[in-house]
Amino acid sequence: MGVVRSNPTRRGTGFSVVELLVVVMVVGVLSAASVVMFSKGKARYQLSQKAQTISSQIERARSLAVKYNQTLTLGFSSQNSVFGITCTDCSLPKSELPQYRMPAGITLSAYPTITIKGNGTIAASTGTIVVSDGRGRQVPITIANSGRTTVGDVSDTSTAH
């Protein structure tokens, strides 16, 4: 009686179904994790850009106050949804700085009135504004008396322990 032997050179020439399933599952988990991280990063970036826009409005108004050697007032109107120059006797600076409409879902810790003198100094009703997106992410904007605004880093309190 003859013994049937398997060909040793054919052993291990392919992948088993279990090995393929494990690889597909690992790729799926890594893909899902990267999508979540990308969406969080995108949301953080968008919030930072909104804070940068508010800071730019303040900085641009400061340069206009110096340019025209005029005291300008910045503030919010329309139920705290529009930010811009609010003084009545400043038509030229108003024409150069369009108002900024706050995006839906964005809130501020304070809605300051900011007075900028012709020499560039700033008097604000609050020194720091925190911009928040309602999902636990927030970014501070610091307004110095010298007229400099600084946008801080985005913090995410929803993932803090």
Side-chain angles (χ1 to χ4, degrees):
M1 183 175 334
V3 178
V4 178
R5 296 183 186 242
S6 65
N7 187 349
T9 59
R10 294 205 63 195
R11 184 171 255 210
T13 58
F15 297 106
S16 70
V17 173
V18 173
E19 290 172 326
L20 288 174
L21 284 175
V22 168
V23 169
V24 168
M25 286 176 44
V26 168
V27 168
V29 168
L30 291 175
S31 296
S34 65
V35 166
V36 168
M37 293 304 291
F38 176 75
S39 66
K40 282 186 179 181
K42 182 179 175 187
R44 291 172 63 91
Y45 175 77
Q46 288 174 335
L47 181 62
S48 177
Q49 289 304 310
K50 290 174 176 92
Q52 286 288 350
T53 300
I54 294 169
S55 175
S56 295
Q57 284 283 101
I58 297 167
E59 298 259 342
R60 178 73 177 125
R62 180 176 176 262
S63 71
L64 290 172
V66 171
K67 176 182 176 180
Y68 291 106
N69 193 24
Q70 184 177 5
T71 299
L72 300 179
T73 306
L74 281 136
F76 289 86
S77 59
S78 301
Q79 299 153 344
N80 293 332
S81 64
V82 178
F83 181 65
I85 297 176
T86 58
C87 49
T88 55
D89 59 341
C90 53
S91 58
L92 285 174
K94 272 186 180 179
S95 68
E96 290 188 44
L97 183 65
Q99 293 186 332
Y100 175 66
R101 181 165 294 283
M102 296 297 294
I106 299 297
T107 58
L108 303 179
S109 62
Y111 296 91
T113 299
I114 302 168
T115 303
I116 307 170
K117 295 184 179 177
N119 64 4
T121 58
I122 292 179
S125 57
T126 183
T128 301
I129 305 168
V130 178
V131 182
S132 178
D133 67 357
R135 294 187 176 130
R137 288 178 289 269
Q138 54 190 20
V139 59
I141 302 171
T142 305
I143 306 167
N145 291 341
S146 64
R148 181 146 173 89
T149 61
T150 306
V151 178
D153 293 329
V154 177
S155 62
D156 195 343
T157 58
S158 66
T159 59
H161 298 294

